[in-house]
Amino acid sequence: MNQLEGRSSTADLLEQAINGKRRAQGQLLTLIERGGFAADEVTELLHHYTQSRAHNSTLAGARCHAAVVGFTGAPGCGKSTLVGCLVAKITQEAGVGRSPAVLAVDPSSPLTGGAILGDRIRMEENVPAARSDGTDRTANAAVGGGAFIRSMATRGHAGGLALAVPAALRLFEACGYGPLIVETAGVGQVEVDVTRTADTTVVIVAPGMGDAVQANKSGLLEVADVLVVNKSDRPGAEDARRDLEHMLDLGHMTGLTGQWRPKVIMTTATEGTGADQVINAVQAHREHLEHAGQLEARREARIHQEVRDRVSQCLETAAEYHLGTKPDPLAAALKERITPAAAAAAISQHLLASDMPA
Amino acid sequence: MLSPMYLAATSNKPLSDSSHQPASHQESASHQASVQSQNQPPIRVVLAKLGLDGHDRGLKVVARMLRDASMEVIYLGLRQTTESVIAAVEQEDADVIGLSMHNAGHLALAPRILQALRDAGLDVPVVIGGIVPESDIATLTEMGISAVLHPGSSAVEVAEAVRGSLGEQPVGK
Ligand SMILES: Nc1nc2c(ncn2[C@@H]2O[C@H](COP(=O)(O)OP(=O)(O)O)[C@@H](O)[C@H]2O)c(=O)[nH]1
Ligand SMILES: [Mg+2]
């Protein structure tokens, strides 16, 4: 087990996590969420672990990646309820023994930084009991079975979320979970970006409220691989479906793959109706990606985005720090001796010319 | 200027190495923290009601109080069992457990959750809310419950009970 040499408490935690200790998995997610040194240490150790596991594997080179499925849509459209149904179905699938992991992102209050994270309760609600050994409705698959649910607040700091999500997914994968599910409210750009980089992105709309049109305007439909009209028990569901099909006809949705036309699926998550079709559509999309050789492209897009996010964060931090030292061009701009643009150009030039480690 | 900052943002050095970093590195790290205005990660509280009875109005009020005190509340709601609470605490890595019990079951339920926590190797403080007779409070704190809150507790009292269970001083002291 030399992949975990140079032991620290983080390495111990990682070993426990990989051996299935949920407590340790939860603690590592906290480190990842906090960002900074501790988070980077986790990702680095994880990387060494997965590298050496792939190396030792008899199927060297054939490293299997867990499927990453993103669920997004306006707050209240039923994402968590639907994810709860899907998780229960996947967990109950006879003999397959798959353990999904869910990362459920909810917004922090911009005023206090606090948050009420209500995805977990929705996921555990309305799920048919997995076992018949109790009357208590929480004795369902999502709790008692192999699934792992982690709620994450945006913490008013979009850049942090963009870095934490891929790191958390890698931890889940190393611990043997799959498929990996990410729920985000389709509001902020970062949240949309987070789901965009999934292998398959499911966009959910609810009838009424002009959800379908809104989803189109906000760019959500462009990233959809599967479309769901949830709350199909409500009036207007059929209209929403027609709206979506129209927008598909008009080619408003291009997607990464071009030739893929998203299916529109009607669901009533509170009753579990349509959940099977969603699972089938996600599966069909994944097969399409495989046949089209696009799975690798998606994986690369994900890494590309992560590197870009990290570069942006580094540059931003460097800029903040440098500006804090009140450099001459800033002082000149403050006195209106040069334009802000000229000051920015001089400062950027200085930053980029500095001896950055390669 | 750029280099130490760059390192601070990208270094993969384990935490334990940070004591060996040059002073400028330390400075930039603390500066980075203030840039992110995230000196202290929020306290995470799992909030649940044990047992089969009741409504969740009070629990929702408490959830809002804790959110407004800058905490992250993982809201489990009604009809939770010790198992479902423990599972949530592990997966969510909660710092504190807030439990409401309204059907006078506290003397039976409190030892059960405390035992379940010990069995799971979890050292997470438990704060109880509900109608608890004055005479039972000492019994509960002796068995290891961190604090007992009455239904009429103010937002400040609720937040301070949670912070206090972690050994933190009241805000502003
Ligand atoms: N009528 C109806 N209500 C639903 C359905 N799915 C979810 N809901 C309700 O919509 C509300 C929001 O659901 P939630 O899953 O939390 O939405 P999210 O914010 O998108 O995650 C809850 O009260 C659900 O019970 C559905 O198919 N039909
Ligand atoms: Mg939700």
Side-chain angles (χ1 to χ4, degrees):
Chain A
M1 286 266 139
N2 66 348
Q3 69 265 26
L4 297 176
E5 74 193 0
R7 311 192 73 81
S8 66
S9 58
T10 308
D12 289 335
L13 275 182
L14 185 61
E15 192 174 318
Q16 292 174 29
I18 284 161
N19 288 327
K21 275 210 82 181
R22 293 184 165 223
R23 167 84 172 140
Q25 294 164 0
Q27 286 172 313
L28 286 172
L29 288 167
T30 299
L31 293 179
I32 287 170
E33 201 177 3
R34 282 184 193 167
F37 295 114
D40 288 346
E41 188 190 5
V42 175
T43 31
E44 194 67 19
L45 286 169
L46 256 179
H47 179 75
H48 288 304
Y49 169 76
T50 24
Q51 287 294 94
S52 71
R53 185 173 60 176
H55 185 76
N56 295 336
S57 160
T58 45
L59 299 163
R63 220 184 106 200
C64 109
H65 292 277
V68 180
V69 187
F71 287 80
T72 193
C77 68
K79 298 178 291 294
S80 302
T81 314
L82 184 62
V83 166
C85 291
L86 303 178
V87 163
K89 285 212 180 279
I90 293 166
T91 319
Q92 288 162 29
E93 234 172 71
V96 185
R98 287 198 296 167
S99 309
V102 182
L103 205 55
V105 182
D106 261 343
S108 299
S109 151
L111 291 179
T112 67
I116 296 176
L117 305 171
D119 292 324
R120 192 178 190 95
I121 179 176
R122 288 276 173 260
M123 288 179 194
E124 294 176 354
E125 230 171 37
N126 304 309
V127 177
R131 298 166 302 182
S132 49
D133 60 356
T135 48
D136 199 79
R137 69 150 187 227
T138 57
N140 66 50
V143 174
F148 190 107
I149 301 174
R150 175 65 172 230
S151 316
M152 209 179 246
T154 52
R155 296 197 176 172
H157 167 44
L161 183 67
L163 299 189
V165 169
L169 293 178
R170 256 183 250 125
L171 175 67
F172 282 143
E173 183 178 32
C175 295
Y177 291 100
L180 312 180
I181 295 173
V182 186
E183 174 189 329
T184 57
V187 277
Q189 184 57 44
V190 177
E191 281 125 303
V192 175
D193 281 348
V194 163
T195 24
R196 186 208 298 270
T197 49
D199 295 321
T200 302
T201 300
V202 181
V203 172
I204 304 172
V205 302
M209 312 187 294
D211 253 23
V213 176
Q214 202 49 48
N216 191 21
K217 279 192 189 152
S218 62
L220 266 190
L221 295 195
E222 272 171 51
V223 300
D225 299 308
V226 175
L227 284 162
V228 170
V229 178
N230 188 41
K231 306 198 185 184
S232 64
D233 54 323
R234 293 268 180 86
E238 190 48 39
D239 294 339
R241 193 188 62 78
R242 229 182 0 250
D243 285 352
L244 290 174
E245 293 286 4
H246 270 139
M247 287 182 240
L248 285 173
D249 290 340
L250 293 170
H252 281 211
M253 289 154 256
T254 46
L256 273 177
T257 46
Q259 333 85 327
W260 175 258
R261 181 177 168 121
K263 266 213 189 74
V264 182
I265 295 163
M266 311 290 278
T267 62
T268 303
T270 38
E271 282 150 30
T273 318
D276 285 325
Q277 282 106 297
V278 175
I279 290 177
N280 291 341
V282 169
Q283 186 59 36
H285 179 254
R286 193 173 170 80
E287 278 160 19
H288 161 79
L289 288 180
E290 268 165 16
H291 286 143
Q294 289 279 343
L295 210 47
E296 187 61 15
R298 290 252 169 158
R299 196 186 61 82
E300 282 185 4
R302 196 151 59 215
I303 294 174
H304 185 112
Q305 168 124 16
E306 194 180 343
V307 172
R308 199 181 61 195
D309 288 339
R310 283 185 175 269
V311 170
S312 313
Q313 210 197 33
C314 282
L315 292 178
E316 204 179 300
T317 317
E320 283 290 345
Y321 180 70
H322 186 60
L323 288 174
T325 67
K326 281 268 165 86
D328 292 344
L330 174 61
L334 291 176
K335 295 214 165 70
E336 300 192 35
R337 277 195 276 113
I338 59 173
T339 63
I347 290 169
S348 306
Q349 214 159 40
H350 170 81
L351 284 177
L352 294 172
S354 305
D355 52 334
M356 264 207 205
Chain B
M1 30 185 150
L2 176 56
S3 319
M5 203 52 250
Y6 182 83
L7 282 172
T10 59
S11 168
N12 284 316
K13 292 256 163 55
L15 257 190
S16 51
D17 278 6
S18 62
S19 56
H20 306 304
Q21 303 293 336
S24 65
H25 188 276
Q26 297 277 317
E27 269 169 34
S28 54
S30 63
H31 180 77
Q32 182 187 25
S34 71
V35 165
Q36 296 180 347
S37 67
Q38 276 206 348
N39 331 341
Q40 283 250 316
I43 296 170
R44 287 167 69 84
V45 185
V46 157
L47 204 57
K49 188 157 177 176
L50 291 183
L52 295 167
D53 68 317
H55 54 78
D56 60 356
R57 238 177 300 135
L59 202 62
K60 281 184 171 153
V61 171
V62 171
R64 263 176 252 128
M65 287 172 168
L66 296 177
R67 177 198 60 195
D68 294 345
S70 305
M71 300 184 199
E72 289 177 2
V73 179
I74 296 101
Y75 188 83
L76 302 185
L78 297 175
R79 265 166 273 165
Q80 297 296 307
T81 62
T82 45
E83 296 78 41
S84 65
V85 170
I86 300 280
V89 168
E90 286 189 331
Q91 294 170 29
E92 304 287 358
D93 193 21
D95 302 301
V96 180
I97 302 171
L99 289 180
S100 155
M101 319 173 178
H102 267 270
N103 59 348
H106 47 272
L107 284 183
L109 291 170
R112 229 190 285 160
I113 190 95
L114 291 170
Q115 186 58 47
L117 284 168
R118 277 192 294 272
D119 291 347
L122 294 167
D123 184 19
V124 180
V126 180
V127 175
I128 285 184
I131 304 166
V132 177
E134 205 63 38
S135 54
D136 287 348
I137 294 182
T139 318
L140 287 169
T141 45
E142 260 161 46
M143 68 175 67
I145 296 297
S146 292
V148 179
L149 289 161
H150 299 289
S153 301
S154 71
V156 172
E157 286 167 337
V158 169
E160 285 186 355
V162 171
R163 288 210 181 88
S165 74
L166 291 166
E168 291 182 18
Q169 294 302 306
V171 179
K173 297 288 155 69

